[in-house]
Amino acid sequence: MSGHNKWSTIKHKKAKEDSKRGAIFTKIIKELTIAARLGGKDPESNPRLRLAIDRAKEANMPKQNIEKAILKGAGELSGVSYEEVLYEGYGPFGVAMIIKATTDNRQRTTSSIRHILSKHGGSLGEVGCVSWMFDNVGYITLKSEKSEEEILEIALEIGAKDVKYNSEDNIYEIITEPKDLMSIKSQLEKNGFTIESAELTLLPQTTVKLDAEQAKSMIKLMDALEDDDDVSNVYANFDIPNAILEELE
């Protein structure tokens, strides 16, 4: 799971840069629209929408823009019709990848993603070729002075599936059912924990460790995919040791 968390950290830094130039707004609007269409406009019963609203607020998106996107998704306002598409394939070095896109033109998006993968040593695969390697979960990270046993006891008591201590990054990783993510996050906060991150994600069951040169190539591919306006998320099973990651930053 450490590879997943490291890429999340890289993305978070990148999102801050994107928000300064407004590039992230388009992706957030698409996510708000899709989340509301798939799960309804009430964030209390729609964890995906709640996360999208939180992300919009972090990016300082105006409240009226958020509300407008939600209403469009719920079918109460007219606008562009988006669909969510999942692509599966491989990056270089045998890294498994799942790419989530939100698009109003599937043909354009498929062509773009195929081109990006090919340019960076990857390839688009058939549906199901790598999805079996990933678990659909809620994922929370936090730091705490409490022991692993204490945190495990609290987390399991409030409904978490598992707790891992990532010694390299000095964080605890809390795994939940997707539907339980927001309630468990809230209960952890009530127990005095400060949440570092919370997201719905696809976690790889196994990872591919990359060396410095491989990591450089992989991050170029991830950046190219994330820079595509239609790509909303990229999941991959690579792992980059901290020492190498720090050099690349």
Side-chain angles (χ1 to χ4, degrees):
M1 278 180 273
S2 58
H4 169 84
N5 182 61
K6 284 168 191 168
W7 178 247
S8 294
T9 303
I10 293 169
K11 281 202 301 182
H12 186 66
K13 289 178 181 175
K14 191 169 184 295
K16 284 185 176 178
E17 294 167 6
D18 286 347
S19 66
K20 289 176 185 175
R21 60 180 190 262
I24 202 170
F25 276 25
T26 301
K27 293 193 178 191
I28 294 175
I29 286 171
K30 287 181 178 181
E31 177 61 14
L32 287 165
T33 304
I34 282 286
R37 181 164 69 81
L38 296 178
K41 66 178 184 180
D42 181 6
E44 295 306 313
S45 59
N46 185 346
R48 180 170 173 178
L49 180 59
R50 175 78 174 275
L51 288 170
I53 291 171
D54 288 347
R55 186 181 173 204
K57 288 178 178 177
E58 284 176 12
N60 295 315
M61 179 177 282
K63 185 179 178 181
Q64 63 185 31
N65 292 34
I66 298 172
E67 292 173 348
K68 191 175 179 181
I70 293 171
L71 290 174
K72 282 182 179 179
E76 296 179 22
L77 278 181
S78 61
V80 177
S81 179
Y82 295 114
E83 65 172 321
E84 188 167 80
V85 188
L86 286 181
Y87 298 92
E88 300 181 40
Y90 292 91
F93 324 114
V95 172
M97 304 186 74
I98 296 179
I99 301 154
K100 184 185 290 185
T102 307
T103 179
D104 59 348
N105 186 326
R106 184 190 287 240
Q107 187 174 354
R108 178 196 67 221
T109 304
T110 302
S111 176
S112 176
I113 289 174
R114 181 181 284 113
H115 173 73
I116 293 169
L117 285 170
S118 177
K119 184 179 178 182
H120 292 83
S123 61
L124 206 55
E126 297 295 322
V127 174
C129 68
V130 300
S131 56
W132 59 273
M133 301 183 196
F134 294 80
D135 295 320
N136 184 21
V137 300
Y139 178 79
I140 297 169
T141 62
L142 57 86
K143 291 187 176 181
S144 176
E145 297 302 316
K146 292 182 184 293
S147 69
E148 188 170 353
E149 290 74 20
E150 286 179 283
I151 292 178
L152 180 62
E153 183 179 351
I154 292 169
L156 293 181
E157 190 174 315
I158 60 178
K161 288 177 65 177
D162 198 8
V163 177
K164 302 282 186 183
Y165 177 60
N166 182 336
S167 57
E168 193 176 16
D169 295 319
N170 190 31
I171 61 166
Y172 287 94
E173 300 170 321
I174 316 292
I175 310 304
T176 79
E177 292 289 350
K179 64 180 177 59
D180 297 332
L181 174 66
M182 298 311 293
S183 64
I184 289 175
K185 174 179 179 286
S186 177
Q187 290 179 75
L188 286 169
E189 289 170 335
K190 286 177 183 175
N191 274 278
F193 293 106
T194 300
I195 305 300
E196 297 271 312
S197 68
E199 60 181 315
L200 294 168
T201 191
L202 298 175
L203 279 185
Q205 296 167 6
T206 58
T207 57
V208 177
K209 186 161 282 192
L210 303 181
D211 62 28
E213 285 305 308
Q214 292 172 333
K216 197 179 296 183
S217 297
M218 192 69 223
I219 286 178
K220 281 182 181 177
L221 168 55
M222 295 291 281
D223 279 340
L225 287 167
E226 296 272 1
D227 283 343
D228 187 292
D229 285 344
D230 292 339
V231 173
S232 54
N233 255 311
V234 183
Y235 309 98
N237 72 337
F238 64 84
D239 186 19
I240 303 173
N242 272 352
I244 293 175
L245 194 62
E246 286 166 9
E247 287 176 15
L248 295 176
E249 291 180 349

